[in-house]
Amino acid sequence: MSIDLASFTPGLSLTGGLLIGAAAAALVLFNGRIAGISGILGGLVGTPQKDAQWRVAFLAGLIGAPVLAGLLGSRIAPDIQAGWGEILVAGFLVGIGTRYAGGCTSGHGVCGISRGSIRSVVATATFMASGFLTVFISRHLLGG
């Protein structure tokens, strides 16, 4: 196994993790809400809610921050070697998984584990194991 040193950015990764943690902490402290992206987005679908404003603002920041960084010249987006069909199928499968798990990686992995939720520990372990298995299969068994 080798590390791609050109893509190895522990400082940026640590900074990103700290910012995600700070955003999740601020949302729970000031709004009493868990920063689970699937729940935030799901709360906008269907009947209008009184709390739609913070949900839209959160999602706008989630999308707008990397767009702004890109406009300022930062190369932060990964090079994805997949077509639109593969991306759409993958997104659909992730959506199904978040429904079955009762939340997404951000809700379970960042917020749930920090609250000591056993359900979140199990869900996050399942997410991670599925990711490890997918990479192993695609790289070693399918020759990708």
Side-chain angles (χ1 to χ4, degrees):
M1 181 172 86
S2 64
I3 295 175
D4 178 8
L5 293 177
S7 299
F8 183 64
T9 56
L12 289 175
S13 300
L14 177 62
T15 302
L18 290 172
L19 288 172
I20 290 169
L27 188 61
V28 78
L29 286 173
F30 298 120
N31 211 358
R33 303 292 186 151
I34 300 299
I37 307 308
S38 63
I40 292 171
L41 180 61
L44 288 174
V45 178
T47 58
Q49 306 236 343
K50 61 181 181 192
D51 60 353
Q53 293 167 332
W54 75 264
R55 292 174 189 272
V56 169
F58 191 94
L59 292 170
L62 189 69
I63 295 166
V67 169
L68 179 61
L71 292 173
L72 295 174
S74 176
R75 171 86 169 88
I76 58 171
D79 183 25
I80 298 174
Q81 308 261 328
W84 280 106
E86 293 167 306
I87 292 171
L88 291 174
V89 168
F92 180 73
L93 292 172
V94 167
I96 290 171
T98 60
R99 280 312 228 182
Y100 279 117
C104 58
T105 53
S106 55
H108 283 300
V110 175
C111 301
I113 290 176
S114 67
R115 291 186 350 249
S117 168
I118 298 300
R119 187 178 124 209
S120 291
V121 170
V122 171
T124 303
T126 303
F127 298 151
M128 296 300 292
S130 297
F132 297 155
L133 182 62
T134 300
V135 169
F136 179 81
I137 289 170
S138 65
R139 288 196 176 170
H140 300 288
L141 300 181
L142 301 177

